């Protein structure tokens, strides 16, 4: 077996409205088909792929911890993304990867999940 690519990440949240707004209005993911599970949530798509699975719950287990440092996405529209984050008064930082043509934006979602957005220039 050889791993081919990142399929999706799953985020549990007790803040569904704020989380949905962050990923759709600011980062431009789109909500799409989600199987009819017996618990609330949403699937957010990048193009044709549902890469973020959200589970909505007011009872997130205490043992649920964020142990992954960050989730990285390849992205386009560096300046537009910065403008959206600034307009929403969302904290973020920018960086450039040395000896590459990659600019990055680091931002935390409403649940504290750190995202690395990579933009080629």
């Amino acid at each position: 077996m050889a791993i081919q690519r990142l399929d999706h990440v799953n985020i549990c949240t007790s803040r569904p409205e704020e989380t949905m707004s962050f990923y759709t209005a600011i980062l431009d993911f789109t909500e799409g088909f989600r199987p009819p599970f017996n618990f609330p949530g949403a699937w957010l798509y990048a193009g044709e792929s549902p890469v973020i699975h959200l589970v909505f719950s007011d009872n997130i287990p205490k043992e649920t911890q964020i142990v992954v440092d960050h989730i990285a996405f390849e992205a386009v529209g560096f300046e537009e993304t910065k403008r959206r984050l600034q307009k929403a008064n969302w904290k973020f930082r920018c960086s450039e990867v040395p000896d590459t043509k990659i600019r990055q934006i680091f931002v935390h979602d409403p649940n504290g999940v750190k995202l690395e957005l990579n933009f080629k220039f």
Side-chain angles (χ1 to χ4, degrees), residues 34-87:
R34 177 180 180 263
F37 296 115
N38 63 354
F39 53 90
W43 281 11
L44 303 178
Y45 285 67
E48 300 293 319
S49 300
V51 297
I52 298 177
H53 295 185
L54 298 175
V55 174
F56 304 149
S57 175
D58 289 329
N59 301 311
I60 297 173
K62 289 184 181 188
E63 64 270 9
T64 299
Q65 297 178 22
I66 299 173
V67 294
V68 173
D69 181 66
H70 67 273
I71 301 165
F73 293 102
E74 186 174 319
V76 295
F78 180 79
E79 293 298 331
E80 174 62 23
T81 302
K82 280 179 39 179
R83 279 192 292 275
R84 286 181 184 197
L85 289 164
Q86 289 166 339
K87 184 177 179 183

Side-chain angles (χ1 to χ4, degrees), residues 13-21 54-58 111:
T13 181
S14 60
R15 304 164 72 176
E17 295 86 12
E18 188 176 357
T19 301
M20 288 290 293
S21 178
L54 298 175
V55 174
F56 304 149
S57 175
D58 289 329
N111 308 286

Side-chain angles (χ1 to χ4, degrees), residues 3-9 49 51 71-73:
I3 302 299
Q4 299 297 307
R5 65 181 176 87
L6 176 68
D7 185 73
H8 71 275
V9 296
S49 300
V51 297
I71 301 165
F73 293 102

